Amino acid sequence: MRAPPGSKSDINLLKVDKGTKTPVNPVIHSYYAGKCKNKKKNGAVMHKICNIIFAMLRDNKPFKIITPQEHCEQYFAAHPGKAQNAA
């Protein structure tokens, strides 16, 4: 039986290495930790993971852990005209 959302065992869904207690995916784990402060974690984290999965399928590329800053740098390198309009 699955634990209720927001319970202590809910963090296990984010794959924390039991031996070292470090997250396997630190980007998703930090996103989750930030959303815990806002109390909107379950839907937001699932939505982010779905976006990652669909982008992998769309682009036919393997999963690669990158930080949001690295993502922005790669995006602006691929779309130089968009960098001027960025906030």
Side-chain angles (χ1 to χ4, degrees), residues 24-25 27-28 49 52-53 56 61-66:
V24 174
N25 186 334
V27 174
I28 295 292
I49 291 172
I52 292 169
I53 292 169
M56 289 170 43
K61 292 183 179 179
F63 178 72
K64 180 179 161 188
I65 297 176
I66 60 172

Side-chain angles (χ1 to χ4, degrees), residues 23-35:
V24 174
N25 186 334
V27 174
I28 295 292
H29 191 271
S30 66
Y31 183 77
Y32 172 83
K35 288 297 176 180

Side-chain angles (χ1 to χ4, degrees), residues 44-58:
V45 173
M46 288 187 293
H47 183 73
K48 186 166 190 72
I49 291 172
C50 285
N51 285 343
I52 292 169
I53 292 169
F54 284 116
M56 289 170 43
L57 293 172
R58 178 193 66 217

Side-chain angles (χ1 to χ4, degrees), residues 59-86:
D59 300 338
N60 198 20
K61 292 183 179 179
F63 178 72
K64 180 179 161 188
I65 297 176
I66 60 172
T67 64
Q69 293 79 18
E70 291 172 328
H71 175 76
C72 289
E73 290 171 7
Q74 291 176 4
Y75 179 80
F76 292 139
H79 303 92
K82 299 281 186 178
Q84 297 171 354
N85 299 333

Side-chain angles (χ1 to χ4, degrees), residues 5-57:
S7 68
K8 192 165 180 120
S9 65
D10 200 25
I11 192 90
N12 292 331
L13 299 174
L14 298 172
K15 296 292 255 181
V16 175
D17 187 318
K18 291 182 181 181
T20 61
K21 302 287 187 198
T22 58
V24 174
N25 186 334
V27 174
I28 295 292
H29 191 271
S30 66
Y31 183 77
Y32 172 83
K35 288 297 176 180
C36 282
K37 295 174 187 173
N38 296 336
K39 308 223 182 230
K40 295 182 179 180
K41 61 188 174 235
N42 291 331
V45 173
M46 288 187 293
H47 183 73
K48 186 166 190 72
I49 291 172
C50 285
N51 285 343
I52 292 169
I53 292 169
F54 284 116
M56 289 170 43
L57 293 172

